[in-house]
Amino acid sequence: MYQLDVTLRRGQNLAARDRGGTSDPYVKFKLGGKEVFRSKTIHKNLNPVWEEKACILIDNPREPLYIKVFDYDFGLQDDFIGSAFLDLTSLELNRQTDVTLSLKDPHYPDHDLGSILLSVLLAPREEQREVFQTQSLRLSDLHRKSQLWRGIVSVTLIEGRELKAMDANGLSDPYVKFRLGHQKYKSKIVPKTLNPQWREQFDFHLYEERGGIIDITVWDKDAGKKDDFIGRCQVDLSTLSKEQTHKLEMPLEEGEGCLVLLVTLTASAAVTISDLSVNSLEDQKEREEILKRYSPMAMFHNMKDVGFLQVKVIRAEALMAADVTGKSDPFCVVELNNDRLLTHTVYKNLNPEWNKIFTFNIKDIHSVLEVTVYDEDRDRSADFLGKVAIPLLSIQNGEQKAYVLKNKQLTGPTKGVIYLEIDVIFNAVKASIRTLMPKEEKYIEEENRLSKQLLLRNFIRMKRCIMVLINAAYYISSCFDWDSPPRSLAAFLLFLFVVWNFELYMIPLALLLLLAWNYFLIVSGKDNRQHDTVVEDMLEDEEEEDDRDDKDSEKKGFMNRLYAIQEVCVSVQNILDEVASFGERIKNTFNWTVPFLSWLAIVALSVFTIILYFIPLRYIVLVWGINKFTKKLRSPYAIDNNELLDFLSRVPSDVQVVQYHELKQDPSHSPSKRKKNNPG
């Protein structure tokens, strides 16, 4: 084996990829299809200086080192600048060599994209093989699992003070971007203020090999043009003590004012990758420890640690061929909220076997496990092959299942199946309490874009919710008009009885009876509601439009000139989605779509009914008012939340019900069937 010591010096005359005529470049080194190094990002510079060192172990010196340069963009997809290969066989052993590599783009071979300067030293390393063997023994024999990150950085963005005015009205519309390594977070926009209040909380993973510095930039949102830069600052995590919350007032460089943050460093969560031979739940001692950690006796210990998830990614079959050779280079990404882990790549195979075990800490039992299969490509971003989304509450422990892969929108099947075995252990009391707290937002989300089909879908969904109210109003009106005398007489007698005997506790009691009635219908098999195919059809139409958009994206440059109008339309589209989702979530709570949440609603309504029955309303209002008025005094930096809205945010909308619906495997498309039908 060999050791390659690389010093990434600088870049020269790199290609501009941003609208301002500059780039935010960073560099990746890949060896054998695997990323072995990633540099820091140098902002707004076409001649960046890195001076970063990497030590890479080389098994086969005939395999070149692949170097890729990207322009960092705050979003899912960074822009490709160029790539180059370093031929290791051309290097003289034990001698430092300066190398200049010209960057190329395979799609535009004649373009001048700049160059990268390196210093490299290749030397033999005989003792390294023994180290690898020791590590392998430690993994398989002693059940030591590799820790993926060393800790969690919890950041609460509180407020900004006296920020720089960027708009003509003497104000700004500020938002904040955070970056730690490859992890990113973008805050909400607070309009027309120089002293914004955000009160947002999020977590970053802290990796041992990456620098512990959070880059923070503040921007002013402008419709129709590039956002204005307000200022920047950095948080050096190495200067902060662990297991303690630090209040930081960070003055902005290149600008005015400051940001107020709360930063807490905690020990690493139990998020690991291991081989199939290392199974925590099969080890009786480890299993008992995990069960004890989430037993009812531990319900008030570490409220954020709700449960334990173990995912076995076994294999996939009959995947889509993404390469011209009729094969694919598949790898698998397993995501739970903002925890994201990857398998290795299996090259040139449509039936890959990974045999990996992933473990996660569960912070919210209503989270959805997402497993996505990609095809690795050398010169561009990975190709999508298929995806499944599995709500944790729908998992059947210890059962190996074949999940049919779905398309990007999770609305219909694509080619192939993936075999998973999943176990979930959680504390029901912690999970119930966590349901009434703010939901963790994913900080890597696709940017909202204008879609005619999506706008129409959201309009139809909202129209269906409104029609329910209109039909209810027509029904009540028909009782007043005596269209059906028996019904009107029954309604009149019920009205007299309820009004004469009405007490406030009857409101939650009525909702409780409605939940109980729907539960009785489902249990007795008398629930004759049809499967909702309207939303499913709309989602399929939207998928077709997405495909057309991908093909015609180059023809739609005129949309940039309508940016401001598009932003307004996107806002309307999102408001329609929020209103429709709110109505659908209320309906799905009473329809027992998620039994755990419906039972939780029954418990809550029962408690409210008892409280309203025994305690006078004035005392309840008094306690509520005192709590609201003193909340900021008791906890100045508490994040505002509404327990009812937090509860409803966990109930899936009709669109999510379709996306999380498990597809049945078609036997005629299984590999074994094809072999029988085509013996030749």
Side-chain angles (χ1 to χ4, degrees):
M1 298 191 70
Y2 297 85
Q3 177 176 308
L4 179 68
D5 294 320
V6 185
T7 303
L8 173 61
R9 298 290 186 193
R10 62 186 182 274
Q12 290 183 338
N13 302 319
L14 300 184
R17 291 290 185 253
D18 293 338
R19 283 185 283 183
T22 184
S23 290
D24 304 314
Y26 67 89
V27 181
K28 288 182 178 181
F29 294 167
K30 298 184 81 172
L31 191 68
K34 295 182 180 180
E35 182 179 323
V36 292
F37 171 78
R38 174 177 173 147
S39 76
K40 65 183 179 183
T41 302
I42 306 294
H43 293 280
K44 301 187 184 305
N45 200 327
L46 299 181
N47 296 282
V49 177
W50 284 284
E51 293 296 338
E52 293 187 47
K53 295 183 178 180
C55 177
I56 303 169
L57 298 176
I58 307 295
D59 192 22
N60 180 11
R62 294 185 182 86
E63 194 164 22
L65 181 68
Y66 188 39
I67 297 150
K68 300 176 80 173
V69 185
F70 292 89
D71 165 54
Y72 162 66
D73 284 324
F74 191 87
L76 281 180
Q77 188 66 52
D78 294 342
D79 296 322
F80 177 69
I81 293 179
S83 62
F85 287 95
L86 175 62
D87 183 5
L88 302 183
T89 59
S90 65
L91 301 177
E92 187 177 338
L93 290 178
N94 298 311
R95 181 178 176 182
Q96 180 114 359
T97 308
D98 292 332
V99 180
T100 300
L101 299 174
S102 297
L103 298 176
K104 297 294 181 184
D105 186 338
H107 301 292
Y108 306 99
D110 299 330
H111 288 196
D112 182 12
L113 304 174
S115 58
I116 291 290
L117 278 69
L118 309 171
S119 291
V120 295
L121 172 65
L122 184 65
R125 189 177 174 86
E126 296 298 332
E127 70 274 13
Q128 192 62 36
R129 190 173 301 276
E130 295 176 6
V131 175
F132 278 165
Q133 290 174 351
T134 304
Q135 288 177 345
S136 177
L137 288 171
R138 188 182 299 128
L139 180 70
S140 58
D141 296 345
L142 303 180
H143 285 215
R144 302 291 190 205
K145 295 181 288 186
S146 56
Q147 201 71 34
L148 272 295
W149 45 78
R150 69 181 183 197
I152 302 293
V153 185
S154 179
V155 181
T156 304
L157 173 62
I158 302 297
E159 61 187 7
R161 296 175 183 168
E162 300 177 358
L163 301 183
K164 188 175 181 180
M166 305 303 294
D167 296 338
N169 59 6
L171 299 172
S172 293
D173 306 311
Y175 66 93
V176 185
K177 293 180 180 179
F178 295 82
R179 182 182 178 95
L180 177 62
H182 67 281
Q183 302 168 91
K184 313 157 197 171
Y185 179 82
K186 180 179 177 182
S187 77
K188 65 185 178 186
I189 299 165
V190 183
K192 295 181 174 54
T193 181
L194 300 180
N195 297 283
Q197 296 283 326
W198 283 288
R199 312 279 171 155
E200 297 183 41
Q201 191 274 331
F202 58 94
D203 293 338
F204 279 147
H205 300 140
L206 189 58
Y207 293 87
E208 192 70 49
E209 65 271 18
R210 291 183 172 84
I213 294 179
I214 302 178
D215 292 309
I216 305 170
T217 53
V218 186
W219 300 82
D220 167 56
K221 181 66 177 177
D222 285 325
K225 58 179 182 177
K226 191 171 183 181
D227 295 346
D228 298 320
F229 176 75
I230 294 179
R232 73 170 72 243
C233 60
Q234 288 186 331
V235 177
D236 186 353
L237 299 175
S238 63
T239 63
L240 303 180
S241 57
K242 293 188 172 72
E243 308 299 338
Q244 181 181 345
T245 299
H246 304 267
K247 180 187 175 186
L248 306 177
E249 295 185 12
M250 307 296 299
L252 295 179
E253 302 171 8
E254 306 174 38
E256 300 172 6
C258 68
L259 294 179
V260 180
L261 310 170
L262 299 180
V263 180
T264 307
L265 276 67
T266 56
S268 177
V271 182
T272 60
I273 303 176
S274 60
D275 292 327
L276 208 58
S277 60
V278 184
N279 188 342
S280 298
L281 296 179
E282 287 181 5
D283 185 319
Q284 190 61 32
K285 188 175 179 181
E286 276 197 62
R287 184 180 182 88
E288 287 175 1
E289 286 181 4
I290 292 170
L291 290 171
K292 183 179 178 182
R293 196 194 317 165
Y294 301 109
S295 68
M297 302 301 293
M299 67 176 70
F300 297 114
H301 176 69
N302 191 1
M303 296 302 294
K304 288 187 176 181
D305 186 12
V306 170
F308 173 85
L309 172 68
Q310 178 177 282
V311 184
K312 293 183 185 178
V313 181
I314 299 166
R315 67 184 189 278
E317 291 181 354
L319 294 179
M320 188 188 307
D323 299 336
V324 291
T325 59
K327 299 287 186 180
S328 290
D329 304 319
F331 67 96
C332 197
V333 178
V334 183
E335 294 177 88
L336 185 70
N337 291 332
N338 291 309
D339 294 343
R340 187 173 190 268
L341 302 175
L342 290 76
T343 67
H344 60 281
T345 302
V346 180
Y347 292 97
K348 303 188 185 311
N349 202 322
L350 298 182
N351 301 288
E353 291 193 12
W354 292 290
N355 292 322
K356 291 292 180 184
I357 296 180
F358 299 85
T359 68
F360 298 88
N361 267 28
I362 299 172
K363 292 180 275 188
D364 188 347
I365 195 59
H366 309 290
S367 301
V368 177
L369 176 70
E370 295 183 0
V371 182
T372 312
V373 183
Y374 292 97
D375 167 64
E376 183 183 291
D377 279 322
R378 277 195 154 191
D379 299 318
R380 52 196 173 93
S381 58
D383 293 326
F384 176 86
L385 296 180
K387 181 178 183 178
V388 291
I390 310 164
L392 298 187
L393 285 170
S394 69
I395 289 169
Q396 296 176 341
N397 282 354
E399 180 184 354
Q400 186 182 133
K401 292 183 70 174
Y403 291 89
V404 177
L405 292 173
K406 295 185 177 183
N407 52 35
K408 284 184 181 180
Q409 288 73 31
L410 295 168
T411 56
T414 186
K415 200 166 187 289
V417 295
I418 186 167
Y419 288 83
L420 307 173
E421 184 179 324
I422 311 172
D423 287 273
V424 176
I425 298 172
F426 69 98
N427 184 294
V429 176
K430 287 184 183 180
S432 302
I433 295 171
R434 185 68 182 83
T435 303
L436 305 178
M437 296 179 182
K439 187 178 181 181
E440 181 182 5
E441 299 294 332
K442 289 193 74 170
Y443 50 73
I444 301 180
E445 289 280 13
E446 288 189 30
E447 293 290 328
N448 290 320
R449 63 178 183 80
L450 181 62
S451 163
K452 180 186 72 176
Q453 203 64 37
L454 183 59
L455 190 63
L456 178 62
R457 184 193 83 187
N458 291 342
F459 175 77
I460 293 173
R461 288 171 60 209
M462 192 169 117
K463 180 182 173 185
R464 293 171 69 199
C465 294
I466 293 173
M467 287 305 298
V468 171
L469 300 177
I470 291 174
N471 290 335
Y474 277 136
Y475 185 85
I476 294 171
S477 178
S478 70
C479 292
F480 293 151
D481 294 337
W482 292 83
D483 292 341
S484 171
R487 186 177 65 197
S488 296
L489 180 61
F492 180 59
L493 295 174
L494 181 64
F495 170 77
L496 292 176
F497 177 79
V498 170
V499 171
W500 185 258
N501 297 284
F502 179 75
E503 296 289 346
L504 201 58
Y505 72 86
M506 292 181 179
I507 296 175
L509 182 61
L511 298 175
L512 191 61
L513 292 173
L514 180 58
L515 270 168
W517 174 250
N518 283 339
Y519 180 72
F520 169 74
L521 290 178
I522 293 170
V523 169
S524 61
K526 296 179 180 178
D527 182 23
N528 55 4
R529 287 169 297 185
Q530 297 297 314
H531 178 63
D532 191 355
T533 58
V534 178
V535 173
E536 211 167 316
D537 293 341
M538 287 190 289
L539 283 167
E540 288 174 3
D541 293 340
E542 183 189 333
E543 180 199 342
E544 291 172 7
E545 190 197 35
D546 283 342
D547 292 340
R548 290 196 298 271
D549 285 349
D550 290 340
K551 293 174 184 176
D552 301 338
S553 57
E554 294 181 3
K555 303 176 184 178
K556 294 189 176 181
F558 74 92
M559 284 300 290
N560 293 329
R561 295 191 290 271
L562 300 176
Y563 185 82
I565 299 174
Q566 177 179 346
E567 214 167 61
V568 172
C569 293
V570 167
S571 298
V572 172
Q573 175 177 286
N574 292 341
I575 290 169
L576 290 172
D577 177 55
E578 288 178 11
V579 174
S581 296
F582 184 78
E584 291 166 357
R585 286 183 169 125
I586 293 174
K587 178 198 73 175
N588 290 335
T589 301
F590 288 95
N591 281 352
W592 292 79
T593 302
V594 182
F596 182 91
L597 288 169
S598 297
W599 280 116
L600 188 58
I602 281 185
V603 172
L605 289 171
S606 300
V607 171
F608 292 154
T609 302
I610 293 168
I611 289 173
L612 288 170
Y613 184 81
F614 286 106
I615 301 176
L617 182 62
R618 66 174 67 87
Y619 294 125
I620 297 172
V621 175
L622 191 64
V623 171
W624 174 84
I626 291 172
N627 175 61
K628 285 293 182 183
F629 276 107
T630 61
K631 189 173 183 180
K632 290 296 180 188
L633 299 176
R634 288 181 283 114
S635 183
Y637 301 119
I639 297 174
D640 295 329
N641 74 302
N642 181 296
E643 288 78 5
L644 179 60
L645 295 181
D646 290 336
F647 172 85
L648 288 175
S649 70
R650 271 51 174 222
V651 183
S653 65
D654 286 353
V655 171
Q656 291 170 321
V657 169
V658 173
Q659 291 173 337
Y660 302 157
H661 177 67
E662 185 182 333
L663 298 177
K664 300 299 180 186
Q665 188 176 359
D666 186 355
S668 63
H669 289 86
S670 68
S672 57
K673 283 282 183 182
R674 282 199 300 274
K675 287 175 185 175
K676 288 177 184 177
N677 294 338
N678 302 287

